[in-house]
Amino acid sequence: SSSCLRTYGDRISRISSYTTLSGARSFASFNAQYPPQQPNSMGGGGFGGQPVTALPQHTDLRALPTPVNLGLHMVPERTAYVVERFGKYLTTLTPGLHILIPIVDRIAYVHSLKEEAITVPSQTAVTKDNVAVHIDGVLYVRITDAQKASYGVSDVRWAIVQLAQTTMRSELGKLSLDRTFAERETLNTSIVAHINDATQGWGLECLRYEIRDITPPTNVRVAMELQAEAERRKRANILESEGEKQAEINRAEGQKGATIALAEGDAASILAKAHATAEGIRSVAEACGEEGASSAASIKLAEQYLEGWAQLARKGTTVIVPANAADP
């Protein structure tokens, strides 16, 4: 209508005063001073890649309002504008300066192509051994195709959160409680693979999924703490017994070595004494064959005889004397 054309003409004339500023700053200042009116349900507009008639209610998602088509648009970096002409998809605007036809063309969706961290709310899941646990996580996603993200699903971010929750419940049902804690990395990888397989037509890629907390029931948590304490005591007892065993082995090895060394010392001593005795006997035998050896032997024998009598007299009070003391 003529009133609508006059409104757009008035806004276009006002924007001329901002052309001396650079790029997106001029349009940001203009939109701040002259905010566009919200379109009705038959018109354009959007929020986070969705029409204004269906605003997402997730507080952890960024809101991306759709600008009013004034003909000239500066698309920021890592952002995609989905443009419709007469309600039909026309093109996707990449970062840079673009010219559109007012009234005929409208920016229906605005998507951020940056990686987003989406909180997956806590939910209850049942493990393979029938233990109910509370689990939550963080989902890292990125839009790769703005057209598919706009028309492939009504609310792409809400849909992927629901898909992450159902996939997480399904994967937890395959694991026991103990394996759930031990194989967290495997669980994350499996959830990412299932999400990417299911979202091929949504223009969205799941980069990674991180489980934040796994909270079992109170009674199970107490039982797990008791089990962990018992395992610690068991390991301590095993280590103590291993230490005592090694100590006994070391003592036995030491005693064995000492006994062997003592026996070897005694054997060496006996052998040395035997060699000395043999050498003495050999020397005596050689000396007996020489001239005058018999007289020397008789004198030595008489000395030993007298020394023996002296020792006998010192040790006892009774002395037995042979009948002929002169004949030993």
Side-chain angles (χ1 to χ4, degrees):
S1 64
S2 59
S3 61
C4 182
L5 292 176
R6 283 196 301 272
T7 301
Y8 276 101
D10 182 58
R11 290 180 58 82
I12 292 173
S13 63
R14 292 173 182 175
I15 200 174
S16 61
S17 61
Y18 291 87
T19 55
T20 57
L21 300 177
S22 59
R25 183 181 299 176
S26 63
F27 292 99
S29 302
F30 173 76
N31 286 330
Q33 184 173 355
Y34 303 102
Q37 300 295 323
Q38 286 288 352
N40 55 27
S41 59
M42 298 300 293
F47 180 78
Q50 300 302 322
V52 295
T53 55
L55 298 180
Q57 301 299 320
H58 311 300
T59 58
D60 60 335
L61 302 179
R62 288 194 299 273
L64 297 177
T66 57
V68 174
N69 182 15
L70 301 177
L72 190 63
H73 289 275
M74 180 71 71
V75 180
E77 185 66 29
R78 303 296 297 171
T79 305
Y81 286 7
V82 177
V83 179
E84 294 180 353
R85 176 169 292 176
F86 298 117
K88 183 179 179 181
Y89 171 76
L90 177 64
T91 185
T92 300
L93 302 183
T94 57
L97 188 63
H98 299 271
I99 299 176
L100 299 177
I101 302 175
I103 302 177
V104 176
D105 299 334
R106 75 181 183 94
I107 300 175
Y109 301 92
V110 175
H111 294 285
S112 173
L113 304 183
K114 300 177 183 178
E115 181 178 345
E116 295 187 42
I118 302 176
T119 301
V120 179
S122 177
Q123 62 173 335
T124 302
V126 180
T127 61
K128 187 177 181 180
D129 47 357
N130 295 324
V131 177
V133 297
H134 296 279
I135 184 169
D136 61 354
V138 180
L139 192 64
Y140 296 87
V141 298
R142 180 180 60 194
I143 292 178
T144 57
D145 191 325
Q147 181 183 2
K148 290 182 179 180
S150 301
Y151 303 104
V153 62
S154 60
D155 189 334
V156 62
R157 292 170 177 82
W158 183 84
I160 198 169
V161 168
Q162 300 304 310
L163 181 60
Q165 287 184 321
T166 56
T167 305
M168 186 164 50
R169 284 195 296 267
S170 176
E171 291 298 319
L172 279 176
K174 301 176 183 178
L175 301 176
S176 62
L177 181 62
D178 294 336
R179 291 185 58 195
T180 299
F181 290 98
E183 300 183 9
R184 179 175 294 196
E185 187 64 29
T186 304
L187 190 61
N188 292 339
T189 304
S190 179
I191 292 175
V192 170
H194 283 77
I195 291 177
N196 285 330
D197 290 341
T199 58
Q200 292 180 358
W202 294 359
L204 186 140
E205 179 186 8
C206 179
L207 302 177
R208 60 190 181 278
Y209 179 84
E210 298 292 339
I211 296 176
R212 291 200 301 186
D213 294 314
I214 301 177
T215 307
T218 304
N219 56 343
V220 176
R221 189 162 58 249
V222 171
M224 292 174 63
E225 292 175 356
L226 294 176
Q227 181 181 1
E229 181 64 24
E231 288 292 335
R232 286 192 291 268
R233 287 198 299 268
K234 175 183 175 182
R235 289 194 296 268
N237 292 334
I238 291 176
L239 291 176
E240 184 178 358
S241 63
E242 289 290 338
E244 294 177 355
K245 174 184 176 182
Q246 191 63 39
E248 291 293 337
I249 292 175
N250 292 340
R251 283 193 289 269
E253 290 290 340
Q255 293 175 359
K256 175 182 176 182
T259 303
I260 292 175
L262 183 61
E264 290 177 351
D266 292 342
S269 176
I270 293 172
L271 184 60
K273 290 179 181 179
H275 282 296
T277 303
E279 186 64 27
I281 293 173
R282 191 179 297 110
S283 299
V284 171
E286 292 177 357
C288 289
E290 297 179 358
E291 185 178 358
S294 299
S295 300
S298 298
I299 294 172
K300 183 65 177 176
L301 184 61
E303 291 178 355
Q304 292 179 354
Y305 178 73
L306 294 175
E307 185 179 356
W309 277 109
Q311 292 291 337
L312 184 62
R314 282 197 298 265
K315 291 183 178 180
T317 57
T318 303
V319 178
I320 301 175
V321 179
N324 188 6
D327 186 11

